[in-house]
Coordinates of all heavy atoms in Angstrom, one line a residue:
R1 N 0.8 -1.2 0.0 CA 0.0 0.0 0.0 C 0.9 1.3 0.0 O 1.9 1.3 0.7 CB -0.9 0.0 1.3 CG -1.9 -1.1 1.3 CD -2.7 -1.0 2.5 NE -3.5 -2.2 2.7 CZ -4.2 -2.5 3.7 NH1 -4.2 -1.7 4.8 NH2 -4.9 -3.6 3.8
N2 N 0.4 2.2 -0.7 CA 1.0 3.6 -0.8 C 2.4 3.6 -1.4 O 3.2 4.4 -1.1 CB 1.1 4.2 0.7 CG -0.2 4.2 1.3 OD1 -1.2 4.6 0.7 ND2 -0.2 3.9 2.6
A3 N 2.7 2.6 -2.3 CA 4.0 2.6 -3.0 C 3.9 3.6 -4.1 O 2.9 3.8 -4.8 CB 4.2 1.2 -3.5
G4 N 5.0 4.3 -4.3 CA 5.1 5.2 -5.4 C 5.5 6.6 -4.9 O 5.4 7.0 -3.7
A5 N 6.0 7.4 -5.8 CA 6.3 8.8 -5.5 C 5.1 9.6 -5.4 O 4.0 9.2 -5.8 CB 7.2 9.4 -6.6
M6 N 5.2 10.8 -4.7 CA 4.1 11.7 -4.5 C 4.4 13.0 -5.1 O 5.4 13.7 -4.7 CB 3.8 11.8 -3.0 CG 2.6 12.7 -2.7 SD 2.5 13.1 -1.0 CE 2.0 11.5 -0.3
E7 N 3.6 13.4 -6.1 CA 3.9 14.7 -6.7 C 3.4 15.8 -5.7 O 2.3 15.7 -5.1 CB 3.1 14.9 -8.0 CG 3.8 14.1 -9.1 CD 3.6 14.7 -10.5 OE1 3.3 15.9 -10.6 OE2 3.9 13.9 -11.4
G8 N 4.2 16.9 -5.6 CA 3.8 18.0 -4.7 C 3.8 17.7 -3.3 O 3.1 18.3 -2.5
A9 N 4.7 16.7 -2.9 CA 4.8 16.4 -1.4 C 5.2 17.6 -0.6 O 6.0 18.4 -1.1 CB 5.7 15.2 -1.2
D10 N 4.8 17.7 0.6 CA 5.2 18.8 1.4 C 6.6 18.5 2.0 O 7.3 19.4 2.4 CB 4.2 19.0 2.6 CG 2.9 19.5 2.0 OD1 2.8 20.5 1.3 OD2 1.9 18.8 2.3
A11 N 6.9 17.2 2.2 CA 8.2 16.8 2.8 C 8.6 15.5 2.2 O 7.7 14.7 1.9 CB 8.0 16.7 4.3
D12 N 9.9 15.3 2.2 CA 10.4 14.0 1.8 C 11.7 13.8 2.4 O 12.4 14.7 2.9 CB 10.4 13.8 0.3 CG 11.5 14.6 -0.4 OD1 11.5 15.9 -0.1 OD2 12.3 14.1 -1.1
A13 N 12.2 12.5 2.4 CA 13.5 12.2 2.9 C 14.0 10.9 2.3 O 13.2 10.0 2.0 CB 13.5 12.1 4.4
L14 N 15.3 10.8 2.1 CA 15.9 9.6 1.5 C 16.8 9.0 2.6 O 17.7 9.8 3.0 CB 16.6 9.9 0.2 CG 17.5 8.8 -0.4 CD1 16.6 7.6 -0.9 CD2 18.3 9.3 -1.5
V15 N 16.7 7.8 2.9 CA 17.5 7.1 3.9 C 18.1 5.9 3.2 O 17.4 5.1 2.5 CB 16.7 6.8 5.1 CG1 17.5 5.9 6.1 CG2 16.3 8.0 5.8
I16 N 19.4 5.7 3.5 CA 20.1 4.5 3.0 C 20.7 3.7 4.1 O 21.4 4.3 5.0 CB 21.2 4.9 2.0 CG1 20.6 5.6 0.8 CG2 22.0 3.6 1.5 CD1 21.6 6.2 -0.2
N17 N 20.4 2.4 4.2 CA 21.0 1.6 5.2 C 22.5 1.4 4.9 O 22.7 0.8 3.8 CB 20.2 0.3 5.3 CG 20.7 -0.6 6.4 OD1 21.9 -0.7 6.7 ND2 19.8 -1.4 7.0
P18 N 23.4 1.8 5.7 CA 24.8 1.7 5.3 C 25.3 0.3 5.3 O 26.3 0.0 4.7 CB 25.5 2.6 6.4 CG 24.6 2.6 7.5 CD 23.2 2.5 7.0
V19 N 24.6 -0.6 6.0 CA 25.1 -2.0 6.0 C 24.8 -2.7 4.8 O 25.6 -3.4 4.2 CB 24.5 -2.7 7.3 CG1 24.9 -4.1 7.3 CG2 24.9 -2.0 8.5
C20 N 23.5 -2.6 4.3 CA 23.1 -3.5 3.2 C 22.9 -2.6 1.9 O 22.8 -3.2 0.8 CB 21.8 -4.2 3.5 SG 20.5 -3.1 3.8
G21 N 22.8 -1.3 2.0 CA 22.7 -0.5 0.8 C 21.2 -0.3 0.4 O 20.9 0.4 -0.5
D22 N 20.3 -0.9 1.2 CA 18.9 -0.7 0.8 C 18.5 0.7 1.1 O 19.0 1.4 2.0 CB 18.0 -1.6 1.6 CG 18.2 -3.1 1.2 OD1 18.8 -3.3 0.2 OD2 17.6 -4.0 1.9
S23 N 17.5 1.2 0.4 CA 17.1 2.6 0.6 C 15.6 2.8 0.6 O 14.8 2.0 0.1 CB 17.7 3.5 -0.6 OG 17.1 3.1 -1.8
M24 N 15.2 3.9 1.3 CA 13.8 4.3 1.3 C 13.6 5.7 1.1 O 14.4 6.5 1.8 CB 13.1 3.9 2.6 CG 11.7 4.3 2.8 SD 11.1 4.1 4.4 CE 9.3 4.5 4.2
R25 N 12.7 6.1 0.3 CA 12.4 7.6 0.2 C 10.9 7.7 0.6 O 10.1 6.9 0.1 CB 12.6 8.1 -1.2 CG 12.4 9.6 -1.3 CD 12.9 10.1 -2.6 NE 12.6 11.6 -2.6 CZ 12.7 12.3 -3.7 NH1 13.0 11.7 -4.9 NH2 12.4 13.6 -3.7
I26 N 10.7 8.6 1.5 CA 9.3 8.8 2.0 C 8.8 10.1 1.5 O 9.6 11.1 1.4 CB 9.2 8.7 3.5 CG1 7.8 8.8 4.1 CG2 10.1 9.7 4.2 CD1 7.2 7.6 4.5
F27 N 7.5 10.2 1.2 CA 6.9 11.4 0.8 C 5.7 11.7 1.7 O 4.9 10.8 2.0 CB 6.3 11.3 -0.6 CG 7.4 11.0 -1.6 CD1 7.7 9.6 -1.9 CD2 8.0 11.9 -2.3 CE1 8.6 9.3 -2.8 CE2 9.0 11.6 -3.3 CZ 9.3 10.3 -3.5
L28 N 5.6 12.9 2.2 CA 4.5 13.3 3.1 C 3.7 14.5 2.6 O 4.3 15.4 2.1 CB 5.0 13.6 4.5 CG 5.9 12.6 5.2 CD1 6.4 13.1 6.5 CD2 5.1 11.3 5.4
R29 N 2.4 14.4 2.8 CA 1.5 15.6 2.6 C 1.1 15.9 4.0 O 0.6 15.1 4.7 CB 0.3 15.3 1.7 CG -0.5 16.5 1.3 CD -1.2 16.3 0.0 NE -0.2 16.3 -1.1 CZ -0.2 15.5 -2.1 NH1 -1.0 14.5 -2.1 NH2 0.7 15.6 -3.0
I30 N 1.3 17.2 4.4 CA 1.1 17.6 5.8 C 0.1 18.7 5.8 O 0.2 19.7 5.1 CB 2.4 18.0 6.4 CG1 3.4 16.8 6.5 CG2 2.2 18.6 7.8 CD1 4.8 17.2 7.0
Q31 N -0.9 18.5 6.6 CA -2.0 19.6 6.8 C -2.3 19.7 8.3 O -2.5 18.8 9.0 CB -3.3 19.2 6.1 CG -3.2 19.3 4.6 CD -4.3 18.7 3.8 OE1 -5.2 18.0 4.4 NE2 -4.4 18.9 2.5
D32 N -2.2 21.0 8.7 CA -2.5 21.3 10.1 C -1.7 20.4 11.1 O -2.3 19.8 12.0 CB -4.0 21.1 10.4 CG -4.9 22.0 9.5 OD1 -4.4 23.1 9.2 OD2 -6.0 21.6 9.1
E33 N -0.4 20.3 10.8 CA 0.5 19.5 11.7 C 0.1 18.1 11.8 O 0.4 17.4 12.8 CB 0.5 20.1 13.1 CG 0.9 21.6 13.2 CD 2.4 21.8 13.4 OE1 3.1 21.0 14.1 OE2 3.0 22.7 12.8
R34 N -0.6 17.6 10.8 CA -0.9 16.2 10.7 C -0.5 15.6 9.4 O -0.4 16.3 8.3 CB -2.5 16.1 10.7 CG -3.0 15.3 11.8 CD -4.5 15.4 11.9 NE -4.9 15.8 13.2 CZ -5.0 15.0 14.2 NH1 -4.7 13.7 14.1 NH2 -5.4 15.4 15.4
V35 N -0.2 14.3 9.3 CA 0.2 13.6 8.1 C -1.2 13.3 7.4 O -2.0 12.5 7.8 CB 0.9 12.3 8.4 CG1 1.2 11.6 7.1 CG2 2.2 12.6 9.2
A36 N -1.4 14.0 6.3 CA -2.6 13.9 5.5 C -2.5 12.6 4.6 O -3.5 11.9 4.4 CB -2.9 15.1 4.7
S37 N -1.3 12.4 4.1 CA -1.1 11.2 3.3 C 0.4 10.9 3.2 O 1.2 11.8 3.4 CB -1.7 11.3 1.9 OG -1.2 12.4 1.2
A38 N 0.8 9.7 2.9 CA 2.2 9.3 2.8 C 2.4 8.3 1.7 O 1.5 7.4 1.5 CB 2.6 8.8 4.2
S39 N 3.5 8.3 1.1 CA 3.8 7.2 0.1 C 5.3 7.0 0.2 O 6.1 7.8 0.8 CB 3.4 7.6 -1.3 OG 4.2 8.6 -1.8
F40 N 5.8 5.9 -0.5 CA 7.2 5.6 -0.3 C 7.7 4.9 -1.6 O 7.0 4.3 -2.4 CB 7.4 4.6 0.9 CG 6.9 3.2 0.6 CD1 7.7 2.2 0.1 CD2 5.5 2.9 0.7 CE1 7.2 0.9 -0.1 CE2 5.0 1.7 0.4 CZ 5.9 0.7 0.0
L41 N 9.0 5.0 -1.7 CA 9.8 4.2 -2.7 C 10.9 3.5 -2.0 O 11.8 4.2 -1.4 CB 10.4 5.2 -3.8 CG 9.4 5.8 -4.8 CD1 10.2 6.8 -5.6 CD2 8.8 4.8 -5.7
T42 N 10.8 2.2 -1.9 CA 11.8 1.5 -1.2 C 12.5 0.5 -2.1 O 11.8 -0.3 -2.8 CB 11.2 0.7 0.0 OG1 10.8 1.7 0.9 CG2 12.3 -0.2 0.7
S43 N 13.8 0.5 -2.1 CA 14.6 -0.5 -2.9 C 15.3 -1.3 -1.9 O 16.2 -0.9 -1.2 CB 15.6 0.3 -3.8 OG 16.4 -0.7 -4.4
G44 N 14.8 -2.5 -1.7 CA 15.4 -3.3 -0.6 C 14.7 -4.6 -0.4 O 13.9 -5.1 -1.3
C45 N 14.9 -5.2 0.7 CA 14.4 -6.5 1.0 C 12.9 -6.5 1.3 O 12.4 -5.4 1.6 CB 15.2 -7.1 2.2 SG 14.8 -6.3 3.7
P46 N 12.2 -7.6 1.3 CA 10.8 -7.7 1.6 C 10.4 -7.1 2.9 O 9.4 -6.4 3.1 CB 10.4 -9.2 1.6 CG 11.5 -9.8 0.6 CD 12.7 -9.0 0.9
A47 N 11.3 -7.3 3.9 CA 11.0 -6.7 5.3 C 11.1 -5.2 5.2 O 10.2 -4.5 5.9 CB 12.0 -7.2 6.3
A48 N 12.0 -4.6 4.5 CA 12.1 -3.2 4.3 C 10.8 -2.6 3.6 O 10.3 -1.6 4.0 CB 13.4 -2.8 3.6
I49 N 10.5 -3.3 2.5 CA 9.3 -2.8 1.7 C 8.0 -3.0 2.6 O 7.2 -2.1 2.6 CB 9.2 -3.6 0.4 CG1 10.4 -3.3 -0.5 CG2 7.9 -3.3 -0.3 CD1 10.6 -4.2 -1.6
G50 N 7.9 -4.1 3.3 CA 6.7 -4.3 4.1 C 6.5 -3.3 5.2 O 5.5 -2.7 5.4
T51 N 7.6 -3.0 5.9 CA 7.6 -2.1 7.0 C 7.4 -0.6 6.5 O 6.8 0.2 7.1 CB 8.8 -2.2 8.0 OG1 10.0 -2.1 7.2 CG2 8.7 -3.5 8.8
S52 N 8.0 -0.4 5.3 CA 7.8 1.0 4.7 C 6.3 1.2 4.4 O 5.7 2.2 4.8 CB 8.5 1.1 3.4 OG 9.9 1.0 3.6
S53 N 5.7 0.2 3.8 CA 4.2 0.3 3.5 C 3.4 0.4 4.8 O 2.5 1.3 4.9 CB 3.8 -1.0 2.7 OG 2.4 -0.9 2.5
A54 N 3.7 -0.4 5.8 CA 2.9 -0.4 7.0 C 3.1 1.0 7.7 O 2.2 1.5 8.3 CB 3.4 -1.5 8.0
A55 N 4.3 1.5 7.6 CA 4.6 2.8 8.3 C 3.7 3.9 7.6 O 3.2 4.7 8.4 CB 6.1 3.1 8.2
T56 N 3.6 3.9 6.3 CA 2.8 4.9 5.7 C 1.3 4.8 6.1 O 0.7 5.8 6.3 CB 2.9 4.9 4.1 OG1 2.4 3.6 3.7 CG2 4.3 5.2 3.6
E57 N 0.9 3.6 6.3 CA -0.5 3.4 6.8 C -0.6 3.9 8.3 O -1.6 4.6 8.6 CB -0.9 1.9 6.8 CG -1.1 1.4 5.4 CD -2.4 1.7 4.8 OE1 -3.4 1.4 5.5 OE2 -2.5 2.4 3.8
L58 N 0.4 3.6 9.1 CA 0.3 3.9 10.5 C 0.4 5.4 10.8 O -0.3 5.9 11.7 CB 1.4 3.2 11.3 CG 1.2 1.8 11.7 CD1 2.4 1.3 12.4 CD2 -0.1 1.7 12.6
I59 N 1.1 6.1 10.0 CA 1.3 7.6 10.3 C 0.2 8.4 9.7 O 0.0 9.5 10.1 CB 2.7 8.1 9.8 CG1 2.8 8.0 8.3 CG2 3.8 7.4 10.6 CD1 4.1 8.7 7.8
T60 N -0.5 7.9 8.7 CA -1.5 8.7 8.0 C -2.7 9.1 9.0 O -3.2 8.2 9.7 CB -2.1 8.0 6.8 OG1 -1.0 7.8 5.9 CG2 -3.2 8.8 6.1
G61 N -2.9 10.3 9.1 CA -4.0 10.8 10.0 C -3.4 11.2 11.4 O -4.1 11.8 12.2
R62 N -2.2 10.8 11.7 CA -1.6 11.2 13.0 C -1.0 12.6 13.0 O -0.6 13.1 11.9 CB -0.5 10.2 13.4 CG -1.1 8.8 13.6 CD -0.1 7.9 14.3 NE -0.5 6.5 14.2 CZ -0.8 5.8 15.3 NH1 -0.7 6.4 16.5 NH2 -1.1 4.6 15.2
T63 N -0.9 13.1 14.2 CA -0.2 14.4 14.3 C 1.3 14.1 14.0 O 1.8 13.0 14.1 CB -0.3 15.0 15.7 OG1 0.3 14.1 16.6 CG2 -1.8 15.2 16.1
L64 N 2.1 15.2 13.8 CA 3.5 15.0 13.5 C 4.2 14.5 14.8 O 5.1 13.6 14.7 CB 4.1 16.3 13.1 CG 3.6 16.9 11.8 CD1 4.4 18.2 11.4 CD2 3.6 15.9 10.6
V65 N 3.7 14.9 15.9 CA 4.3 14.4 17.2 C 4.1 12.9 17.4 O 5.0 12.2 17.7 CB 3.7 15.2 18.4 CG1 4.1 14.6 19.7 CG2 4.1 16.7 18.3
E66 N 2.9 12.5 17.0 CA 2.6 11.1 17.1 C 3.4 10.3 16.1 O 3.9 9.2 16.4 CB 1.1 10.8 16.9 CG 0.2 11.3 18.0 CD -1.3 11.4 17.6 OE1 -1.6 11.3 16.4 OE2 -2.1 11.4 18.5
A67 N 3.5 10.8 14.9 CA 4.2 10.1 13.9 C 5.7 9.9 14.2 O 6.3 8.8 14.0 CB 4.1 10.8 12.5
V68 N 6.3 11.0 14.8 CA 7.7 10.9 15.2 C 7.9 9.9 16.4 O 8.9 9.3 16.5 CB 8.2 12.3 15.6 CG1 9.5 12.2 16.3 CG2 8.4 13.1 14.3
S69 N 6.9 9.8 17.2 CA 7.0 8.9 18.4 C 6.9 7.4 18.0 O 7.2 6.6 18.9 CB 6.1 9.3 19.5 OG 4.8 9.0 19.1
L70 N 6.4 7.1 16.8 CA 6.3 5.7 16.5 C 7.7 5.1 16.3 O 8.6 5.8 15.8 CB 5.5 5.5 15.2 CG 4.0 5.8 15.4 CD1 3.3 5.9 14.0 CD2 3.3 4.7 16.2
T71 N 7.9 3.9 16.6 CA 9.2 3.3 16.6 C 9.3 2.2 15.5 O 8.3 1.7 15.0 CB 9.6 2.7 17.9 OG1 8.7 1.6 18.2 CG2 9.5 3.7 19.1
R72 N 10.5 1.7 15.3 CA 10.7 0.6 14.3 C 10.0 -0.6 14.8 O 9.5 -1.4 14.0 CB 12.2 0.4 14.1 CG 12.9 -0.2 15.3 CD 14.4 -0.4 15.1 NE 15.0 -1.0 16.2 CZ 16.0 -1.8 16.2 NH1 16.5 -2.2 15.0 NH2 16.5 -2.3 17.3
E73 N 9.9 -0.8 16.2 CA 9.2 -1.9 16.7 C 7.7 -1.8 16.4 O 7.1 -2.8 16.1 CB 9.3 -2.0 18.3 CG 10.7 -2.4 18.7 CD 11.7 -1.2 18.8 OE1 11.3 -0.1 18.5 OE2 12.9 -1.5 19.2
D74 N 7.1 -0.6 16.4 CA 5.7 -0.4 16.0 C 5.5 -0.9 14.5 O 4.5 -1.5 14.2 CB 5.3 1.0 16.1 CG 5.3 1.5 17.5 OD1 4.8 0.7 18.4 OD2 5.7 2.6 17.8
Y75 N 6.5 -0.5 13.6 CA 6.3 -0.9 12.2 C 6.5 -2.4 12.0 O 5.9 -3.0 11.2 CB 7.3 -0.1 11.4 CG 7.1 1.4 11.5 CD1 8.2 2.3 11.7 CD2 5.8 1.9 11.6 CE1 8.0 3.6 11.8 CE2 5.6 3.3 11.7 CZ 6.7 4.1 11.9 OH 6.5 5.5 12.0
A76 N 7.5 -3.0 12.8 CA 7.7 -4.4 12.7 C 6.4 -5.2 13.2 O 6.0 -6.2 12.6 CB 8.9 -4.8 13.5
E77 N 5.9 -4.7 14.3 CA 4.6 -5.3 14.8 C 3.5 -5.2 13.8 O 2.7 -6.1 13.7 CB 4.3 -4.6 16.1 CG 3.3 -5.3 16.9 CD 3.0 -4.5 18.2 OE1 4.0 -4.3 19.0 OE2 1.8 -4.2 18.5
A78 N 3.4 -4.1 13.1 CA 2.4 -3.9 12.1 C 2.4 -4.9 10.9 O 1.4 -5.1 10.3 CB 2.4 -2.5 11.6
V79 N 3.5 -5.5 10.7 CA 3.6 -6.5 9.7 C 3.6 -7.9 10.3 O 3.9 -8.9 9.6 CB 4.8 -6.4 8.7 CG1 4.8 -5.1 8.0 CG2 6.1 -6.5 9.5
G80 N 3.2 -8.0 11.6 CA 3.1 -9.3 12.2 C 4.4 -9.8 12.8 O 4.5 -10.9 13.2
G81 N 5.3 -8.8 13.0 CA 6.6 -9.2 13.6 C 7.7 -9.6 12.6 O 7.3 -9.9 11.5
L82 N 8.9 -9.4 13.0 CA 10.1 -9.7 12.1 C 11.0 -10.6 12.9 O 11.2 -10.4 14.1 CB 10.8 -8.5 11.7 CG 10.1 -7.5 10.7 CD1 10.9 -6.2 10.5 CD2 9.8 -8.2 9.4
P83 N 11.7 -11.5 12.3 CA 12.7 -12.2 13.0 C 13.9 -11.3 13.4 O 14.0 -10.2 12.7 CB 13.2 -13.3 11.9 CG 12.8 -12.7 10.6 CD 11.6 -11.9 10.9
N84 N 14.6 -11.6 14.4 CA 15.7 -10.8 14.9 C 16.6 -10.3 13.8 O 17.0 -9.2 13.8 CB 16.5 -11.5 16.0 CG 15.7 -11.4 17.3 OD1 14.8 -10.6 17.5 ND2 16.1 -12.3 18.3
S85 N 16.9 -11.2 12.9 CA 17.9 -10.9 11.9 C 17.4 -9.9 10.9 O 18.1 -9.3 10.1 CB 18.3 -12.2 11.1 OG 17.1 -12.7 10.5
K86 N 16.0 -9.6 10.9 CA 15.5 -8.6 10.0 C 14.9 -7.4 10.7 O 14.4 -6.5 10.0 CB 14.3 -9.3 9.2 CG 14.7 -10.5 8.3 CD 15.8 -10.1 7.3 CE 15.3 -9.5 6.1 NZ 16.3 -9.2 5.1
L87 N 15.1 -7.3 12.0 CA 14.6 -6.1 12.7 C 15.2 -4.8 12.2 O 14.5 -3.8 12.2 CB 14.8 -6.3 14.2 CG 13.7 -7.0 15.0 CD1 14.2 -7.1 16.5 CD2 12.4 -6.2 14.9
H88 N 16.4 -4.9 11.8 CA 17.1 -3.6 11.4 C 16.4 -3.1 10.1 O 16.6 -1.9 9.9 CB 18.6 -3.9 11.1 CG 18.8 -4.7 9.9 ND1 18.8 -6.1 9.9 CD2 19.1 -4.3 8.6 CE1 19.1 -6.5 8.7 NE2 19.2 -5.5 7.9
C89 N 15.7 -3.9 9.4 CA 15.1 -3.4 8.1 C 14.0 -2.4 8.4 O 13.7 -1.6 7.6 CB 14.5 -4.6 7.4 SG 15.7 -5.9 7.1
S90 N 13.4 -2.4 9.6 CA 12.3 -1.5 9.9 C 12.9 -0.1 10.3 O 12.2 0.8 10.5 CB 11.5 -2.0 11.0 OG 12.2 -2.4 12.2
V91 N 14.2 -0.1 10.5 CA 14.9 1.2 10.8 C 14.7 2.2 9.7 O 14.6 3.4 9.9 CB 16.4 1.0 11.1 CG1 17.1 2.3 11.4 CG2 16.5 0.1 12.4
L92 N 14.7 1.7 8.4 CA 14.6 2.6 7.3 C 13.4 3.5 7.4 O 13.4 4.7 7.3 CB 14.5 1.8 6.0 CG 15.8 1.3 5.3 CD1 15.5 0.5 4.1 CD2 16.7 2.5 5.0
A93 N 12.2 2.9 7.7 CA 11.0 3.6 7.8 C 11.0 4.6 9.0 O 10.6 5.8 8.8 CB 9.8 2.7 8.0
S94 N 11.4 4.2 10.1 CA 11.4 5.1 11.3 C 12.4 6.3 11.1 O 12.0 7.4 11.4 CB 11.7 4.4 12.6 OG 12.9 3.8 12.6
T95 N 13.5 6.0 10.5 CA 14.5 7.1 10.3 C 14.0 8.0 9.2 O 14.1 9.3 9.3 CB 15.8 6.5 9.8 OG1 16.2 5.5 10.8 CG2 16.9 7.6 9.7
A96 N 13.4 7.5 8.1 CA 13.0 8.3 7.0 C 11.8 9.2 7.4 O 11.8 10.4 7.1 CB 12.6 7.4 5.8
I97 N 10.9 8.7 8.2 CA 9.8 9.5 8.6 C 10.2 10.6 9.5 O 9.8 11.8 9.4 CB 8.7 8.6 9.3 CG1 8.0 7.7 8.3 CG2 7.7 9.4 10.2 CD1 7.2 6.6 8.8
R98 N 11.1 10.3 10.5 CA 11.6 11.4 11.4 C 12.4 12.4 10.6 O 12.2 13.6 10.8 CB 12.5 10.8 12.4 CG 11.7 10.0 13.5 CD 12.5 9.3 14.5 NE 11.6 8.5 15.3 CZ 11.9 7.5 16.1 NH1 13.2 7.0 16.0 NH2 11.0 6.9 16.8
Q99 N 13.2 12.0 9.6 CA 13.9 12.9 8.8 C 13.0 13.8 8.0 O 13.2 15.0 7.9 CB 14.9 12.2 8.0 CG 16.3 12.7 8.2 CD 17.3 11.8 7.4 OE1 17.3 11.7 6.2 NE2 18.2 11.1 8.1
A100 N 12.0 13.2 7.4 CA 11.1 14.0 6.5 C 10.4 15.1 7.4 O 10.2 16.2 6.9 CB 10.1 13.1 5.9
I101 N 10.0 14.7 8.6 CA 9.3 15.7 9.4 C 10.2 16.8 9.9 O 9.9 17.9 9.9 CB 8.6 14.9 10.6 CG1 7.4 14.1 10.0 CG2 8.1 15.9 11.7 CD1 6.7 13.2 11.0
E102 N 11.4 16.4 10.2 CA 12.5 17.4 10.5 C 12.7 18.3 9.4 O 12.8 19.6 9.5 CB 13.8 16.7 10.9 CG 13.9 16.4 12.4 CD 15.2 15.7 12.7 OE1 16.2 16.0 12.1 OE2 15.2 14.8 13.5
N103 N 12.8 17.8 8.2 CA 13.0 18.6 7.0 C 11.8 19.6 6.8 O 12.0 20.8 6.5 CB 13.1 17.7 5.7 CG 14.3 16.9 5.7 OD1 15.3 17.2 6.4 ND2 14.4 15.9 4.8
W104 N 10.6 19.1 7.0 CA 9.4 19.9 6.9 C 9.4 21.1 7.9 O 9.2 22.2 7.6 CB 8.2 19.1 7.1 CG 6.9 19.9 6.9 CD1 6.3 20.2 5.8 CD2 6.1 20.5 8.0 NE1 5.2 21.0 6.0 CE2 5.0 21.1 7.4 CE3 6.2 20.4 9.4 CZ2 4.1 21.8 8.1 CZ3 5.2 21.1 10.1 CH2 4.2 21.8 9.5
K105 N 9.8 20.7 9.2 CA 9.8 21.8 10.2 C 10.9 22.8 9.9 O 10.7 24.0 10.1 CB 10.2 21.1 11.6 CG 9.0 20.4 12.2 CD 9.4 19.8 13.5 CE 8.2 19.1 14.1 NZ 8.5 18.3 15.3
R106 N 12.0 22.4 9.4 CA 13.1 23.3 9.0 C 12.6 24.3 7.9 O 12.8 25.5 7.9 CB 14.3 22.6 8.5 CG 15.6 23.4 8.5 CD 16.8 22.7 8.2 NE 16.9 21.4 8.9 CZ 17.0 20.2 8.3 NH1 16.9 20.1 7.0 NH2 17.1 19.1 9.0
K107 N 11.9 23.7 7.0 CA 11.3 24.5 5.8 C 10.3 25.5 6.4 O 10.3 26.6 5.9 CB 10.6 23.5 4.9 CG 10.9 23.9 3.4 CD 10.5 22.7 2.5 CE 9.1 22.3 2.4 NZ 8.8 21.3 1.4
Q108 N 9.5 25.1 7.4 CA 8.5 26.0 8.0 C 9.2 27.2 8.6 O 8.8 28.4 8.5 CB 7.7 25.3 9.0 CG 6.8 24.2 8.4 CD 6.0 24.6 7.2 OE1 5.2 25.5 7.3 NE2 6.3 24.0 6.1
L109 N 10.3 26.9 9.4 CA 11.1 27.9 10.1 C 11.7 28.9 9.1 O 11.7 30.1 9.3 CB 12.1 27.3 11.0 CG 11.6 26.6 12.2 CD1 12.8 26.0 13.0 CD2 10.9 27.6 13.1
E110 N 12.3 28.3 8.0 CA 12.9 29.2 7.0 C 11.9 30.1 6.3 O 12.2 31.2 6.0 CB 13.7 28.3 6.0 CG 14.9 27.7 6.6 CD 15.5 26.6 5.7 OE1 14.9 26.3 4.6 OE2 16.5 26.0 6.1
G111 N 10.7 29.5 6.1 CA 9.7 30.3 5.4 C 8.8 31.1 6.3 O 7.9 31.8 5.9
G112 N 9.0 31.0 7.6 CA 8.2 31.6 8.6 C 8.1 33.1 8.5 O 7.1 33.7 8.9
A113 N 9.2 33.7 8.1 CA 9.3 35.2 8.1 C 8.6 35.8 6.9 O 8.2 36.9 6.9 CB 10.7 35.6 8.1
A114 N 8.2 34.9 5.9 CA 7.6 35.5 4.7 C 6.2 35.8 4.9 O 5.5 35.4 5.8 CB 7.7 34.4 3.6
Ligands
FES201 FE1 18.6 -4.2 4.0 FE2 16.5 -5.4 4.9 S1 18.4 -6.3 4.3 S2 16.9 -3.3 4.8

């Protein structure tokens, strides 16, 4: 679910797992400090793709504070759990989401004086 790029996204972030080289790009549409919609492009293992997709579902409709507070464990749980050897794959989603929201906040501050 929610695979694909998003045109006109309010925020995005690209994260690369330095160990395996897998990558995730997240796109967010943000309205009233809430995630209105989210999509992703993940090049990686099934666990990374599954948790990326689950993460976009979990954060949609949540406030930015709630979205940032979700953890990789929440995303792993959302796909029914991951074996220990694949737990690191859910880090892509949690890192990308936090980074995209940070990017958005920075953009707001920079544009705040306008
Ligand atoms: Fe790289 Fe899963 S093996 S994210």
